[in-house]
Amino acid sequence: MVLAQAGAEIRAMLRNGEQLLLTMIIPVLLLAGFSAAPLVDVGGGRRVDFVAPGILALAVMSTAFTGQAIATGFERRYGVLRRLGATPLSRTGLLLAKTVAVVAVEALQIVVITVVALALGWSPHGGPSLGALWAVPLLLLGTAAFSGLGLLMAGTLRAEATLAGANLVYLVLLGLGGVLFPLDRFPGGVRQVLELLPISALTSGLRAVLSDGGGFPGGPLLVLLCWAVAALALAARTFRWE
């Protein structure tokens, strides 16, 4: 039942034009545009090496947070969650199915973005396998953190407020999270605050292991772990199914 519901969730995501735009088209366009054109000064090195890890982080946020928050918010408003919770598929099973669907869509996003980035000349430092070793826990914790935030928003706010708030947060974090613009361009005090954001931690961690050849990304993992624990705990306590 969980797999069947997860399949339905995946099909709904990929058939929805707005969801497809958010999860696939916008990240690929940003990757191609900012890698090919000198729109941002990223210092030394190739632009694609700087941009590609940030776009991977953006893909996780777009699916686990923005897309999930909006879809779940409207499912709650129209009573879909209540009706599904009354079926043999338990509420825990429903949340598990949503998690499986999010991870599956993210896997597809990562494949597409990686292929496009490699075609644009991206060469992960130390080879793809070494970077992927540290990238996996970063992506999983990032998914947990953003899923918790998405469910927290969808389970407490009205659907219209969730729609507006999720899109606003997406745009703000896109601009301030180090995805396309280096955080060292901000003043010191502001940068220290921005580095504590989940998108900044995920972006900097992926960039460190995939582009800079860094070792164990302890700092970013710790930030993401704190966000994941706090967001999921709050979502579990405050989520309303009706």
Side-chain angles (χ1 to χ4, degrees), residues 50-136:
F50 176 86
V51 174
I55 296 299
L56 289 174
L58 180 69
V60 171
M61 181 177 71
S62 66
T63 299
F65 171 69
T66 312
Q68 184 171 218
I70 295 172
T72 305
F74 279 95
E75 286 175 350
R76 174 170 160 256
R77 174 187 175 180
Y78 293 123
V80 175
L81 293 182
R82 184 180 68 253
R83 290 193 291 272
L84 286 174
T87 67
L89 177 65
S90 65
R91 290 182 174 183
T92 299
L94 176 59
L95 293 177
L96 181 58
K98 285 184 173 292
T99 301
V100 172
V102 165
V103 172
V105 172
E106 285 181 357
L108 178 60
Q109 288 176 289
I110 290 170
V111 170
V112 171
I113 291 170
T114 300
V115 169
V116 173
L118 292 174
L120 292 171
W122 183 38
S123 178
H125 189 92
S129 60
L130 182 61
L133 178 66
W134 300 119
V136 169

Side-chain angles (χ1 to χ4, degrees), residues 56-57 60 103 106 110 128-146 198 201-210 214-229 232:
L56 289 174
V60 171
V103 172
E106 285 181 357
I110 290 170
S129 60
L130 182 61
L133 178 66
W134 300 119
V136 169
L138 286 166
L139 291 169
L140 291 177
L141 276 178
T143 299
F146 284 118
L202 182 55
T203 299
S204 63
L206 291 175
R207 193 166 287 139
V209 299
L210 294 176
F216 177 70
L221 283 174
L222 179 60
V223 172
L224 289 172
L225 177 62
C226 292
W227 276 100
V229 171
L232 290 171

Side-chain angles (χ1 to χ4, degrees), residues 121-238:
W122 183 38
S123 178
H125 189 92
S129 60
L130 182 61
L133 178 66
W134 300 119
V136 169
L138 286 166
L139 291 169
L140 291 177
L141 276 178
T143 299
F146 284 118
S147 291
L149 291 170
L151 292 174
L152 177 62
M153 179 176 287
T156 55
L157 301 178
R158 293 171 57 89
E160 294 82 2
T162 298
L163 174 62
N167 282 314
L168 177 61
V169 171
Y170 177 89
L171 292 174
V172 170
L173 294 185
L174 173 62
L176 301 180
V179 175
L180 300 173
F181 309 100
L183 288 180
D184 57 15
R185 299 295 188 271
F186 294 93
V190 176
R191 183 175 68 250
Q192 291 177 358
V193 174
L194 295 180
E195 288 173 349
L196 297 177
L197 296 174
I199 186 63
S200 303
L202 182 55
T203 299
S204 63
L206 291 175
R207 193 166 287 139
V209 299
L210 294 176
S211 296
D212 301 334
F216 177 70
L221 283 174
L222 179 60
V223 172
L224 289 172
L225 177 62
C226 292
W227 276 100
V229 171
L232 290 171
L234 284 173
R237 290 178 60 89
T238 61

